[in-house]
Amino acid sequence: MFRVQKVLLSEYQEIYEPVMIESPFTLVDANGHGLRQYQIALTGSKLLFGSDNFDKHEEHSGEEYNELDFSNRGLDPEIECFDLISMVPLEYIRFNFYRQRDRCLMMLSVQSLDHQLMTVERPMIFEFGGHIHKQYYWHTWRERVSLICCYQTRFSQITGASPFSSSDVHEEEEVHHVQVHVPRRPQSVYSLCCSSAGGP
């Protein structure tokens, strides 16, 4: 499941950081059509992108490739065709989390540290993957980004407002009814008779 963390430990130990959260995403266009699948991981200082590369072991071809015993080669099946393809410091990223109907989305904007320069890159929209766990991932990513923003002041720009604010992340309003004071129930005929008769 933690494919990016496994690749960091096995191939990139010099830049290894503990992964706070990682999950599958699909890069989508403005109309919601899928473009490419990614595994994205968040550490305390950077965002890491990984993707499957099925040509990674193309040197083993045909019959020779099929006869290889991968367990004897010591390869983890989860990352044998997986590559780390991009790494972006959090200083350059701005997160926005929102929902459209039953879709959970994360929008990433790449920005310059020089405020005089305008951001020219179009935001990238990623839809959370996983039919069962996407709600969990959506909430967990928001919490982790909020923690980084609170505890590391140099990353205060990574989100525009607290991700715990419903007005910041929901496109569709959710109405909640809260009953603070329970209305007093009227006395029954039996209790009125007992009280007038001097009963308990």
Side-chain angles (χ1 to χ4, degrees):
M1 185 175 179
F2 295 99
R3 303 176 75 193
V4 173
Q5 179 153 297
K6 287 182 178 181
V7 169
L8 286 175
L9 285 170
S10 63
E11 301 179 24
Y12 300 95
Q13 293 186 7
E14 66 278 5
I15 61 168
Y16 173 78
E17 279 186 83
V19 171
M20 300 175 66
I21 178 69
E22 75 169 85
S23 60
F25 288 87
T26 301
L27 177 67
V28 298
D29 60 18
N31 298 317
H33 299 137
L35 303 175
R36 186 175 180 181
Q37 290 184 328
Y38 290 94
Q39 182 85 1
I40 305 179
L42 176 70
T43 72
S45 65
K46 59 179 71 76
L47 201 64
L48 301 144
F49 295 79
S51 183
D52 287 302
N53 175 15
F54 297 107
D55 297 325
K56 190 173 183 178
H57 302 291
E58 62 180 358
E59 65 272 11
H60 305 290
S61 59
E63 185 177 350
E64 179 187 1
Y65 183 83
N66 293 329
E67 292 177 353
L68 287 172
D69 185 356
F70 292 106
S71 61
N72 291 335
R73 294 175 59 199
L75 292 177
D76 187 332
E78 207 170 27
I79 60 171
E80 65 175 344
C81 294
F82 185 77
D83 279 336
L84 188 65
I85 59 174
S86 183
M87 179 175 62
V88 184
L90 293 181
E91 289 93 337
Y92 297 96
I93 295 179
R94 186 180 180 88
F95 293 86
N96 287 98
F97 299 91
Y98 61 100
R99 289 188 289 200
Q100 288 182 333
R101 301 180 182 87
D102 61 341
R103 302 174 66 190
C104 298
L105 303 164
M106 175 177 72
M107 184 169 65
L108 297 179
S109 304
V110 180
Q111 56 189 7
S112 172
L113 291 178
D114 188 349
H115 298 293
Q116 296 179 353
L117 297 176
M118 297 293 291
T119 303
V120 295
E121 295 291 335
R122 296 184 62 181
M124 296 177 292
I125 302 173
F126 294 91
E127 182 171 354
F128 283 81
H131 177 68
I132 299 176
H133 300 294
K134 64 180 179 180
Q135 294 281 350
Y136 164 78
Y137 285 132
W138 187 75
H139 287 289
T140 306
W141 269 86
R142 293 167 61 206
E143 291 172 2
R144 298 297 185 271
V145 170
S146 178
L147 286 174
I148 292 175
C149 189
C150 291
Y151 289 105
Q152 300 191 53
T153 55
R154 63 193 177 109
F155 297 140
S156 60
Q157 88 293 336
I158 64 176
T159 182
S162 169
F164 298 104
S165 170
S166 60
S167 61
D168 182 46
V169 297
H170 294 284
E171 284 199 346
E172 298 176 353
E173 291 187 4
E174 295 183 1
V175 179
H176 300 278
H177 298 282
V178 180
Q179 189 171 359
V180 179
H181 300 289
V182 179
R184 187 175 179 180
R185 295 179 62 182
Q187 287 184 310
S188 65
V189 176
Y190 173 78
S191 60
L192 287 174
C193 293
C194 286
S195 60
S196 62

